[in-house]
């Protein structure tokens, strides 16, 4: 991402409706995983540290981030050490040492996404899980994606293919940000017509609007752990190391 994007992330991720909603959904999903006590959790692409406090409810967290600036900001913000590393071949995590690996809107930034997923699989213990989110629908591509240095947006089928080719079993694959999907589509269409020099929508909206959007998005945390949404702006996947015995409470099994 652009350096300014990290600074803006640090300034807004505690209050902005999108970060708060994504965090609330991820927290709800992780609560359904029945992680072991003192679970070892790794967040890859931890950015400026907005998810660390939430993740530490579930175990000991190692945060990995490739950007020097983001690690500096995150250290100042959280008081924790963030490790330098990048996918697919420079993550300072021992093989078969992790119970949960998190990638929140990271994979779309990586050229070698399938190789990255294969590398992540090597870091997991038997039965270890991955939770990730990515932007959905290549047809929604806009200046927003260009500004954030995205390589791609994912269809449900493409994400499923990447995960299964890397040797994982999928437990949950759902769209998220469904209620606000029409507004997002309209915003992307407006961007295409106006062709702005910079993407809009990164600043936190006025407090009443931000609170309303946060409530709407966060409410999906009551749905996604138990059922998959049929459409949305993003995709969320939970998957486990191939051949491991599942211990979570997910009731959906997705066919290959």
């Amino acid at each position: 991402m652009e350096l300014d994007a990290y600074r803006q992330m640090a300034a807004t991720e505690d209050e902005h409706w999108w970060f708060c909603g994504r965090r609330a959904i991820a927290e709800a999903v992780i609560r359904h995983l029945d992680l072991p006590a003192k679970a070892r959790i790794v967040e890859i692409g931890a950015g400026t540290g907005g998810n660390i406090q939430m993740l530490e409810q579930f175990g000991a967290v190692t945060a990995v981030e490739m950007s020097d600036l983001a690690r500096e900001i995150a250290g100042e913000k959280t008081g924790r050490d963030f490790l330098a590393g990048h996918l697919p071949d420079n993550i300072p995590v021992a093989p078969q040492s992790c119970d949960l690996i998190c990638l929140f809107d990271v994979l779309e930034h990586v050229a070698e996404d399938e190789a990255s997923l294969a590398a992540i699989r090597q870091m997991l213990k038997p039965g270890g899980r991955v939770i990730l989110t990515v932007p959905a629908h290549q047809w929604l591509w806009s200046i927003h994606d260009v500004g954030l240095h995205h390589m791609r947006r994912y269809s449900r089928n493409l994400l499923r293919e990447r995960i299964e080719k890397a040797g994982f079993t999928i437990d949950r694959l759902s769209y998220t940000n469904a209620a606000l999907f029409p507004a997002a589509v309209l915003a992307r269409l407006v961007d295409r017509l106006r062709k702005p020099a910079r993407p809009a929508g990164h600043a936190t909206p006025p407090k009443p609007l931000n609170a309303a959007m946060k409530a709407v998005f966060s409410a999906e945390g009551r749905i996604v752990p138990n059922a998959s949404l049929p459409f949305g702006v993003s995709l969320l996947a939970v998957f486990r190391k191939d051949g491991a015995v599942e211990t979570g409470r997910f009731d959906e099994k997705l066919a290959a």
Side-chain angles (χ1 to χ4, degrees), residues 17-18 21-22 25 134 136-137 139-140 153 156 174-186 213-221 223-224 227-236:
W17 67 269
W18 186 84
R22 185 185 67 176
I25 295 167
V134 292
H137 306 301
W139 55 266
L140 280 179
R153 300 178 71 95
R156 184 183 174 101
S174 174
Y175 289 102
T176 65
N177 205 356
L180 298 172
F181 182 62
V185 172
L186 179 60
M213 296 174 77
K214 175 181 173 181
V216 168
F217 191 15
S218 298
E220 293 181 5
I223 301 171
V224 173
S228 295
L229 297 171
F231 60 88
V233 183
S234 300
L235 282 159
L236 178 145

Side-chain angles (χ1 to χ4, degrees), residues 155-185:
S155 68
R156 184 183 174 101
N157 286 340
L158 177 61
L159 184 58
R160 183 203 301 264
E161 176 187 300
R162 291 287 193 269
I163 292 169
E164 292 181 340
K165 279 189 175 181
F168 290 101
T169 298
I170 300 174
D171 295 324
R172 172 73 66 215
L173 181 54
S174 174
Y175 289 102
T176 65
N177 205 356
L180 298 172
F181 182 62
V185 172

Side-chain angles (χ1 to χ4, degrees), residues 121 126-127 167-169 240-246:
R121 186 175 179 275
F168 290 101
T169 298
R240 53 192 160 92
K241 193 167 183 177
D242 187 42
V245 175
E246 183 185 7

Side-chain angles (χ1 to χ4, degrees), residues 5-239:
Y6 286 115
R7 295 187 181 96
Q8 190 161 34
M9 179 191 297
T12 61
E13 65 184 341
D14 292 338
E15 298 295 335
H16 193 288
W17 67 269
W18 186 84
F19 289 109
C20 292
R22 185 185 67 176
R23 198 157 48 239
I25 295 167
E27 179 178 354
V29 169
I30 293 170
R31 288 194 186 283
H32 280 69
L33 297 183
D34 289 338
L35 293 174
K38 300 180 181 179
R40 173 123 190 249
I41 300 169
V42 175
E43 183 181 10
I44 298 175
T48 54
N51 300 313
I52 300 303
Q53 187 174 4
M54 179 273 288
L55 291 173
E56 285 185 331
Q57 299 176 81
F58 303 103
V61 180
T62 299
V64 181
E65 170 56 44
M66 68 174 291
S67 165
D68 294 340
L69 175 61
R71 291 197 309 276
E72 180 183 346
I73 294 172
E76 293 172 356
K77 181 178 176 180
T78 67
R80 297 167 175 84
D81 292 330
F82 281 56
L83 303 180
H86 60 78
L87 290 168
D89 55 4
N90 185 27
I91 301 296
V93 174
Q96 301 192 58
S97 64
C98 306
D99 298 293
L100 176 66
I101 296 177
C102 304
L103 295 92
F104 300 119
D105 289 84
V106 171
L107 199 64
E108 68 272 16
H109 296 273
V110 182
E112 298 171 287
D113 57 348
E114 189 174 329
S116 295
L117 290 171
I120 287 167
R121 186 175 179 275
Q122 299 304 312
M123 304 172 202
L124 288 169
K125 297 176 183 178
R129 305 293 189 92
V130 181
I131 176 172
L132 67 75
T133 58
V134 292
H137 306 301
Q138 186 65 26
W139 55 266
L140 280 179
W141 185 270
S142 72
I143 190 172
H144 173 85
D145 299 281
V146 175
L148 292 176
H149 292 189
H150 290 173
M151 299 282 183
R152 68 195 74 80
R153 300 178 71 95
Y154 286 85
S155 68
R156 184 183 174 101
N157 286 340
L158 177 61
L159 184 58
R160 183 203 301 264
E161 176 187 300
R162 291 287 193 269
I163 292 169
E164 292 181 340
K165 279 189 175 181
F168 290 101
T169 298
I170 300 174
D171 295 324
R172 172 73 66 215
L173 181 54
S174 174
Y175 289 102
T176 65
N177 205 356
L180 298 172
F181 182 62
V185 172
L186 179 60
R188 298 300 189 272
L189 292 175
V190 169
D191 277 350
R192 288 179 186 177
L193 292 172
R194 293 176 59 240
K195 298 181 180 179
R198 295 176 62 86
H202 294 295
T204 304
K207 285 186 177 181
L209 178 59
N210 189 62
M213 296 174 77
K214 175 181 173 181
V216 168
F217 191 15
S218 298
E220 293 181 5
R222 296 193 289 270
I223 301 171
V224 173
N226 302 299
S228 295
L229 297 171
F231 60 88
V233 183
S234 300
L235 282 159
L236 178 145
V238 179
F239 44 99

